[in-house]
Amino acid sequence: MTDRNDTFPFPRATLREYPAPASGGTPTFQVFVGGWRVGGNYKTRAGALRAAERASKKARPRRTWATAQALGHRNVQCDATAIHTAPDGARAFVLLDGIGDTETVRDWTRTAARRLARAASRRGNAEAGLRHVYAGYAATPDRQDRHRRRYMPGAAAVVAVSAPGRPMTVAWCGDSRAYLLTRGIVRRLTDDHNLHRVYPPSATHPDGGSRDGITSYLGSTADDEARQASHGHPAIETVTVPLDGKSCRLLLASDGAYQPHQDAGHDLFVELDDDPRAAALQEFVDLAVETSAAATPDDPYADNATALLADL
């Protein structure tokens, strides 16, 4: 008898092959999911594999998150999301807001989001995962040339990691945000890396610095000390969030998703405290685009809007 682990949707199905008996006949196959037998005595491996896939899908845990995007008035959707769960149950939620409006940026951002999700979940910590991926991109040879790196892709990044029995960790570089929605209260967990933070509104400059000028991002080569010296904040920041076990929702959002709601004074809890989760989130990003365009009717414009909503 041999066990063969074939990759199926969670949980993994095990296919056991029993050799043909000495008295004659053909090999048979049995299927197990999570240690329980769900089918046996299949005459062909193909039939057993189909049974394993069906059983695995039925046993798949209920998805507790949703993602949504709206293109806005951009040519290419350069935002990306990714979710990855490590074997120990640590789960990483990632949102990247790509800098630019090209297919090159789109492809790079999608790959970077998946890479960051894997790194953070396997380390069980958002900051450790983000620093690992940040350092990897910063060490790319082409980024060592100060002229070449100006044309290389980058993205504002935020990542959150939840793990059984441990507080949630959040890390970010750029102006993508994380919020915690619980019991009617919206708590913002991140502090933007942009010129509006560096130069806040004052009596002489009531608008402050530009919100569009980000001061840290994934793909940069600047370390914490360099960013602290130039803009008053490190390249990467992090926060630890104890969860009290009561139901709450994590929201990750690009600036194209949260800024229009913020500027219009919308209550994020009201907008997102609804089910089904996917429908509520799609309405959220669609409304962000509509609100942004309506704010400047003479020259309407809306950025890519992307959000991730997870029940914790």
Side-chain angles (χ1 to χ4, degrees), residues 40-64:
N41 298 323
Y42 292 97
K43 299 301 182 182
T44 65
R45 188 169 187 272
L49 289 176
R50 286 193 291 270
E53 185 173 11
R54 289 194 299 269
S56 183
K57 287 181 177 179
K58 290 179 181 178
R60 187 190 309 177
R62 182 177 67 89
R63 175 177 285 191
T64 59

Side-chain angles (χ1 to χ4, degrees), residues 105-213:
V105 172
R106 178 198 63 194
D107 296 344
W108 182 90
T109 302
R110 290 177 178 178
T111 299
R114 294 192 295 268
R115 183 173 296 174
L116 177 54
R118 289 193 300 268
S121 67
R122 289 169 179 169
R123 287 163 177 76
N125 182 274
E127 181 182 12
L130 181 54
R131 288 195 179 279
H132 174 77
V133 176
Y134 187 101
Y137 282 119
T140 302
D142 282 348
R143 294 184 190 270
Q144 307 312 305
D145 184 293
R146 65 190 183 94
H147 297 293
R148 272 187 207 159
R149 66 172 171 250
R150 294 175 57 191
Y151 304 99
M152 299 191 70
V158 61
V159 52
V161 174
S162 64
R166 302 204 300 266
M168 180 174 68
T169 56
V170 179
W172 70 96
C173 57
D175 60 357
S176 293
R177 290 182 182 177
Y179 297 87
L180 193 65
L181 288 64
T182 178
R183 298 187 291 278
I185 298 173
V186 177
R187 176 185 171 192
R188 181 172 147 193
L189 304 176
T190 56
D191 196 357
D192 300 337
H193 292 164
N194 60 20
L195 292 177
H196 193 70
R197 172 181 174 179
V198 177
Y199 305 108
S202 64
T204 53
H205 297 90
D207 293 332
S210 171
R211 294 185 300 186
D212 296 328

Side-chain angles (χ1 to χ4, degrees), residues 7-116:
T7 301
F8 295 104
F10 291 109
R12 180 169 291 183
T14 300
L15 180 67
R16 294 184 180 178
E17 179 179 350
Y18 292 81
S23 58
T26 58
T28 59
F29 301 87
Q30 293 185 2
V31 177
F32 293 76
V33 174
W36 294 90
R37 177 179 165 180
V38 296
N41 298 323
Y42 292 97
K43 299 301 182 182
T44 65
R45 188 169 187 272
L49 289 176
R50 286 193 291 270
E53 185 173 11
R54 289 194 299 269
S56 183
K57 287 181 177 179
K58 290 179 181 178
R60 187 190 309 177
R62 182 177 67 89
R63 175 177 285 191
T64 59
W65 66 86
T67 62
Q69 293 188 309
L71 182 61
H73 294 143
R74 304 288 289 270
N75 295 317
V76 181
Q77 175 57 264
C78 290
D79 298 346
T81 58
I83 300 96
H84 189 270
T85 305
D88 67 354
R91 178 169 291 159
F93 303 96
V94 168
L95 187 145
L96 266 58
D97 180 354
I99 302 170
D101 190 24
T102 67
E103 293 181 357
T104 298
V105 172
R106 178 198 63 194
D107 296 344
W108 182 90
T109 302
R110 290 177 178 178
T111 299
R114 294 192 295 268
R115 183 173 296 174
L116 177 54

